[in-house]
Amino acid sequence: MSTSDGAPPHTPAHPDPAAEFHEVIHAPVRLRICGLLRQVDALEFSVIRDALELKDANLSKNLKVLSDADLVQVTKESSPDRGDSRRLTWVALTADGHSALQSHLAALRAIAEGGTALSR
């Protein structure tokens, strides 16, 4: 699905973002998390965990790093389908997260093509 201007959904409509290497996003697990979140409004914690085949603790640690950098927003809500007190944890890229990911992907493309990219 794409927007009326042809951009992928949920991404800023910037055809050529400034290439900027982002150390926080670049870590393999965090890059994969951001890649999953890039195409959706939000994903539930267990969906990310299962898709990336991670342990809860590993995912939590990486989400904390992304959250501390204001790249993702983590929210908890009660589940109407559960009788216990456990809550669902939802994760979404922030506007800054979308922008930083687009810039990081542009930097990776530049590096792959033999160029250089600035590091944050």
Side-chain angles (χ1 to χ4, degrees), residues 5-32:
D5 63 0
H10 313 295
T11 58
H14 301 291
D16 295 317
E20 186 171 346
F21 193 86
H22 200 289
E23 291 287 343
V24 172
I25 291 175
H26 189 67
V29 169
R30 293 191 292 270
L31 181 57
R32 293 171 63 211

Side-chain angles (χ1 to χ4, degrees), residues 43-104:
L43 286 176
E44 204 272 320
F45 181 95
S46 64
V47 172
I48 299 169
R49 179 198 63 212
D50 295 347
L52 300 181
E53 299 178 344
L54 298 171
K55 303 268 189 217
D56 285 2
N58 190 1
L59 179 54
S60 292
K61 175 184 164 190
N62 282 284
L63 289 177
K64 172 97 169 93
V65 172
L66 289 167
S67 179
D68 287 349
D70 295 321
L71 300 173
V72 300
Q73 179 179 13
V74 178
T75 56
K76 295 183 183 273
E77 67 180 35
S78 297
S79 171
D81 298 329
R82 287 192 162 139
D84 58 20
S85 62
R86 290 186 294 171
R87 299 186 304 169
L88 297 175
T89 301
W90 291 92
V91 183
L93 277 178
T94 62
D96 287 345
H98 275 287
S99 179
L101 179 60
Q102 290 300 105
S103 294
H104 184 72

